[in-house]
Amino acid sequence: MNSGVTIGQAAAFVGVTVKTVRHYHKLGLVAEPDRDISGYRRYGTAELLRLVQVRTLAAAGVPLAEIGPLLDADAALFATALTDVERQLTARIEELITRRDTLHRLADGDRALLPDRAVALLERMPGLGFTAEEVADAREGWVLARALVPEGFDDYLTDVENALDDTRFVALTKRAAEATAWAPDDPRIDELATAAAEHYLANPGLLKIVTGMRARTEAATRYTLIRQYGAAQTPASARLSELFATKLRAAGIDIPGPNSD
């Protein structure tokens, strides 16, 4: 009578494929049993136990290259190795959770690129009278600001939250959006730049929106990119932005010029 089971039966008992069993043999994880008089390899209890052990560790996430030494280690080393495997699995789980959360945020374009605080501000803006286009401009500018100066973005959001409680600030900001359609030599541009500069200078908290990120950059270029985003879309908005900055500089506020390095 033949003793043991065939490779197909062993694979079925353990819950893997015949190809997997042969792969374990190739890697040296499970020794191939001897052939019987009929020429078939017969798997006994020792081989089946080893297959179960290898299958269980592999299913738990242990790399195949580490399973052999792990099974051959003494009890203390085995326990230590399992602790390390658990740590690696935990790290992988956390990474997968982060990826899953990113996918969920991708379902909402704002949340994929901006923190919840920024999204809440964007959702608040229409109620203050900002148009959909103005909200979109703010969103894109904030995405740029967060990417270029991430260490200062949270404080910047705090400054914006406070500014949105200032009705005069809101009115001036909406007026600046309207100015993008004006002719660049429209006298109202200078009037608006003056009014905005005076209000900012009279309210130091508002100046943080202009200067806060500047203080956190090692080069003026990144700050200037943020400040000029959207402002260069039309000649009128570009002129308004530069007049506003010039008036602040004249009052002693540190604002990089167009040729700053």
Side-chain angles (χ1 to χ4, degrees):
M1 179 183 296
N2 292 327
S3 175
V5 298
T6 65
I7 186 172
Q9 292 172 319
F13 290 163
V14 175
V16 295
T17 65
V18 170
K19 182 178 179 179
T20 297
V21 174
R22 287 178 174 151
H23 186 56
Y24 291 166
H25 289 325
K26 182 178 179 180
L27 295 177
L29 297 176
V30 180
E32 286 188 286
D34 295 330
R35 297 182 184 276
D36 63 13
I37 58 176
S38 301
Y40 292 100
R41 296 189 186 279
R42 294 286 174 172
Y43 291 75
T45 55
E47 290 83 14
L48 289 173
L49 175 60
R50 183 78 173 193
L51 280 172
V52 170
Q53 292 172 328
V54 172
R55 187 278 320 270
T56 301
L57 289 172
V62 180
L64 291 179
E66 298 177 15
I67 289 178
L70 189 60
L71 289 176
D72 295 334
D74 60 30
L77 290 176
F78 184 83
T80 299
L82 285 184
T83 298
D84 185 60
V85 170
E86 181 181 7
R87 178 187 57 78
Q88 295 177 35
L89 287 175
T90 298
R92 287 173 57 189
I93 290 170
E94 291 174 351
E95 179 184 357
L96 289 172
I97 290 174
T98 298
R99 290 183 180 183
R100 182 200 63 190
D101 291 345
T102 298
L103 288 175
H104 288 169
R105 294 176 74 89
L106 284 173
D108 183 332
D110 291 343
R111 296 183 188 279
L113 298 171
L114 292 170
D116 291 340
R117 286 183 65 199
V119 175
L121 286 173
L122 291 173
E123 293 173 345
R124 178 184 173 192
M125 289 176 67
L128 296 174
F130 288 97
T131 66
E133 183 177 358
E134 290 164 0
V135 174
D137 285 344
R139 176 189 302 112
E140 293 177 6
W142 293 357
V143 169
L144 180 62
R146 187 191 189 200
L148 294 179
V149 194
E151 67 277 10
F153 191 66
D154 195 56
D155 288 341
Y156 172 77
L157 289 180
T158 297
D159 297 333
V160 173
E161 286 172 344
N162 294 332
L164 290 180
D165 291 328
D166 183 333
T167 56
R168 178 61 171 161
F169 167 84
V170 171
L172 288 168
T173 302
K174 290 162 62 177
R175 185 66 167 165
E178 296 172 5
T180 60
W182 298 348
D185 58 352
D186 192 314
R188 292 177 297 176
I189 293 178
D190 186 81
E191 295 172 0
L192 179 56
T194 298
E198 289 177 349
H199 187 65
Y200 274 66
L201 291 170
N203 297 272
L206 294 178
L207 284 173
K208 293 181 181 180
I209 295 176
V210 181
T211 62
M213 287 194 179
R214 162 64 173 167
R216 294 175 180 268
T217 58
E218 73 271 5
T221 302
R222 288 192 294 169
Y223 170 82
T224 304
L225 283 170
I226 296 168
R227 183 174 59 84
Q228 292 183 344
Y229 176 80
Q233 291 179 349
T234 70
S237 57
R239 181 164 180 264
L240 174 61
S241 178
E242 191 50 46
L243 282 173
F244 174 68
T246 297
K247 293 178 185 297
L248 292 184
R249 289 190 206 103
I253 305 301
D254 183 19
I255 304 292
N259 298 319
S260 298
D261 296 324

